[in-house]
Amino acid sequence: MPGGLSFFSPRVGFVCNNILSYEIVLANGTLATASETVNQGLWRALKGGSNNFGIVTKFVARSFPSTNIWGGFLYMTSSKVSQLIDAFHQFTESKPGVYDEYAAGPLVCFSYVQKIGIRALSTHLVYTKPEKQKFVTTTVKNDHATLVEIYALFERSVEALRRVNGMIWTLVLQPLPPASAMKGQLDSQGLNTRTEPLVVVLFTAVWKNKADDFLVEQTTRSIINSIDLYAASRGAADPYRYLNNCASWQKPFDGYGAENKRFLQQMSKTYDPDGLFQKAFVGGFKLDMDSFRS
């Protein structure tokens, strides 16, 4: 293993320093174990020594709890070079404990983009401490008035969430043209026959305190309901829900259409007749097999 810098390194160090043991085939064909107590020198050499000692067939790594992380890029013009280098230098010089160990980066990048002839600066920042996060989504047709209303509803919702500690409340509009659904091989989402462009609407919420859970839940449900009602009044509503963006209370498979949902249920019945992945596998969206009749 060459090292392993990661966004968790400020808290747990290099990836290679969290490998508890290796199983390795040596040059003479023998299988050996390298750990803190067996072949300690080889264990140390493998942590940073690359492929110079054998073929690793198995390793045991130390794990740690982690859920969602926050991350993003901050882009600047080249006029900010001095300020960026100064800030990077100050951060790198800081003593342990000065900065939050859950704060990873900054990764500072200097780029020249030939096509548009500019020099650009970017800083990648990541925060790895688990925080509360919620996604919720709907889909509308590409109706201008509906898009304007969605933004207006977002602006009004800010007032309701302003007092939520640590709140980052974001609206994302993602185009879904018919060509995107028609290319590639057939899937089960039911979009391959669509002829109108759609817009996937996503709201994301990140906040700190459990005391605010109810308000966030209430607000996200309310804004989706308001969007759906307005879109319906404009003939711009659509049943499709992008599964990766759905809240736990939403039912993405219903939006695939009855025929596609039935197809998925039939495949579940065929390949998982006892319903293991419907009943015993926790998490994800299920297929409502109680409504299925073969």
Side-chain angles (χ1 to χ4, degrees), residues 177-187 191-196:
S180 295
M182 294 177 182
K183 292 181 179 178
Q185 297 175 333
L186 184 65
D187 61 36
L191 294 173
N192 57 300
T193 59
R194 301 297 183 89
T195 57
E196 290 185 85

Side-chain angles (χ1 to χ4, degrees), residues 28-46:
N28 62 8
T30 60
L31 187 66
T33 297
S35 69
E36 190 174 14
T37 57
V38 180
N39 295 316
Q40 187 179 33
L42 179 60
W43 176 61
R44 180 184 172 190
L46 286 168

Side-chain angles (χ1 to χ4, degrees), residues 76 80-94 99 105-106 108 123:
M76 292 157 277
K80 301 292 185 181
V81 167
S82 295
Q83 292 170 265
L84 183 58
I85 292 176
D86 289 347
F88 178 83
H89 176 264
Q90 181 180 347
F91 179 89
T92 306
E93 280 288 304
S94 62
Y99 288 98
V108 175
T123 303

